[in-house]
Amino acid sequence: MTEDVRRERNGVEFSDEDLLERYKSGDTEALSLLVERYRRQLFSFILRMSASAADADEIFQEVWLRVIRKAGSYRRDCFRGWVYRIAHNLLID
């Protein structure tokens, strides 16, 4: 675990965008923190709109796979909105 991520867990909070930038620079712990940060609320959103908990779990995982694949094209905007848009698009599909 990197020193910066340890500080995150010790009370210093990085923005979502900062964590994504750290992930893009090779800090995999930063992505873990993002997933944890959004686990409860994003999964609940997906669960409300899906057929089952198993489907919601699959979609939740696919959201993060897409975040990983598209991290390079993310335009430092609103990370939360971006992640929810990915989830929404997957739910529609």
Side-chain angles (χ1 to χ4, degrees):
M1 182 180 323
T2 66
E3 182 64 32
D4 289 333
V5 171
R6 265 185 255 143
R7 279 199 310 240
E8 162 84 15
R9 293 186 178 197
N10 291 327
V12 175
E13 191 167 314
F14 296 106
S15 71
D16 296 338
E17 289 79 9
D18 289 339
L19 288 172
L20 187 61
E21 286 301 317
R22 289 180 177 285
Y23 170 71
K24 288 175 7 182
S25 296
D27 186 350
T28 57
E29 280 293 315
L31 181 65
S32 296
L33 287 171
L34 278 172
V35 172
E36 270 311 303
R37 187 176 281 180
Y38 283 92
R39 181 177 305 283
R40 183 181 274 162
Q41 60 185 263
L42 182 61
F43 186 80
S44 294
F45 169 77
I46 295 167
L47 184 59
R48 282 192 305 271
M49 299 179 71
S50 60
S52 68
D55 288 345
D57 188 53
E58 187 175 319
I59 292 168
F60 181 82
Q61 290 177 40
E62 183 61 31
V63 166
W64 293 104
L65 288 173
R66 292 207 181 175
V67 166
I68 290 167
R69 284 193 297 250
K70 306 243 182 224
S73 64
Y74 174 73
R75 296 177 317 234
R76 200 164 170 92
D77 194 17
C78 176
F79 181 81
R80 183 179 190 275
W82 184 59
V83 168
Y84 275 77
R85 173 56 57 192
I86 291 170
H88 181 262
N89 290 344
L90 286 167
L91 285 160
I92 290 171
D93 291 343

